[in-house]
Amino acid sequence: MQEIQPAGTEKARTVSSMFGRIASQYDRGNRVLSLGRDQAWRRIAVRLLNPAPAERVLDIGAGTGDLSLALAKTAGSVVALDFSLPMLEIGAAKVFGARIPVSCVAGDALRLPFPNESFDAVATAFTVRNLAGMERGFAEIFRVLRPGGRLAILEFTRPGSRLVSAVYKPYLSLVLPRIGGRLTGDGPAYRYLAASINSFTTPKEMGALLTGAGFDGVRWRLLNWGTVAVHLGTRPGAPARQRGAGIHA
Amino acid sequence: MRRDLMDILACPMCKGPLTLTVQREKDNDIMEGALHCAACKETYPIKDGIPNLLPPDLRNG
């Protein structure tokens, strides 16, 4: 297991180089492996986060920019952060010409390059599973959100239903690495993805981590027969100063 | 990167302010340059319009 589930900075480096390798084929892999559903999940996450026209939103683990593009349909501005430059370079080309400015920044989710309270909302899709320390990641998100700011996390989750698990587990361990490997030429990367999904938290465990990090009103919505979840939470407190519309007091 | 991004960029290590040096600008976008943190004595590059604020231990990872 050491090779596919490394720890700490080593994990960060391994995951980063893995995404660097599969970057050019990543979008196609997503579409095929989610049976064309991943973009719909992103739209649902954005709808639940509900960014207002004056709001500044941070997309953590923006990768090739799909979630940032969905956020850009309603937000005031979007910052797309990722620690893989090859992924971000593809993202930068895709978000060019979006309705509102999407700024690409290379950075680490565990050491965000932003001052305290600099965002109205944070969104992240298929990222927190890969963090070397999820608690540290949530603490950083909490720090950069303004009081009253919202968080939406779209991520795979371990299904509660035994019936779903009976179909899903073989899909993850056998089908996904094979198809992913064929699409991108990198079987090990997709074996890592499958293992990381298989060992990940249940929706309730993730909810408890968010509450533990200080978020209020933590709730979630299950998608795709309970294999994908959108978790929502709010940094407690009223905004210190209203920026723009600021209707989320 | 756009100049107004400076409003919300900070050093990933100390979260302190950064000083911008522009080497090449195109249509109000900073294409090449550097961001410097005086407190950490660390310089973060801007390449192809993307500021690289990865902590030093991940920059080449």
Side-chain angles (χ1 to χ4, degrees), chain A residues 9 12-13 16-17 56 79 82-83 85 88-89 92 101 103-108 111-115 118-119 140 143, chain B residues 1-2 4-5 7-13 15 18 29 48-61:
Chain A
T9 306
R13 283 173 173 280
S16 173
S17 88
R56 182 189 286 148
V79 174
D82 203 281
F83 74 166
L85 264 168
L88 212 50
E89 278 158 9
S103 301
C104 294
V105 176
D108 181 13
R111 287 167 287 181
L112 291 173
F114 311 109
S118 34
F119 292 93
E140 272 294 82
R143 182 183 68 78
Chain B
M1 75 171 238
R2 289 154 46 106
D4 61 9
L5 194 63
D7 295 348
I8 52 156
L9 288 184
C11 171
M13 309 306 286
K15 318 298 182 190
L18 298 163
D29 258 347
D48 299 322
I50 300 177
N52 184 345
L53 287 155
L54 283 167
D57 59 318
L58 286 179
R59 199 174 295 150
N60 303 309

Side-chain angles (χ1 to χ4, degrees), chain A residues 194-216:
Chain A
S196 69
I197 294 169
N198 232 336
S199 61
F200 196 55
T201 55
T202 62
K204 212 174 158 180
E205 287 164 353
M206 165 88 89
L209 284 174
L210 287 170
T211 304
F215 287 94
D216 251 4

